[in-house]
Amino acid sequence: ISLSMKEFSERFEDLLKEKELSQLAFSRMIGVSQSTVSRWVNGEDEPGISYFKLICETLDVRPEYLLGMED
């Protein structure tokens, strides 16, 4: 999956703040390192499809929202 990196990273970071989740807490929830979550937030990397799906499920958000296809 090729994401709009800027859109994804901004919305992902906003959701973490909204749900009062630190990068470390979220990383533990989905089983990745904190540095991986940091790279996603900073737009340095994007999650693979399985992690993207897990992010959506964990944050209770539609994939279209995280991809910037809907508000």
Side-chain angles (χ1 to χ4, degrees), residues 5 10 14 22 25 27 34 37 40 42 48 59 61 68-69:
M5 291 289 287
E10 288 175 358
D14 288 346
S22 68
S27 70
Q34 186 273 327
V37 173
W40 294 341
N42 293 319
L59 295 176
V61 65
M69 298 166 71

Side-chain angles (χ1 to χ4, degrees), residues 2 10 25 36 56:
S2 181
E10 288 175 358
T36 296
C56 293

Side-chain angles (χ1 to χ4, degrees), residues 44-70:
E44 298 165 3
D45 197 5
E46 62 185 50
I49 190 70
S50 59
Y51 280 114
F52 181 75
K53 183 178 180 207
L54 189 55
I55 290 167
C56 293
E57 290 170 356
T58 305
L59 295 176
D60 192 29
V61 65
R62 291 172 43 87
E64 292 84 356
Y65 175 78
L66 269 182
L67 293 172
M69 298 166 71
E70 68 179 27

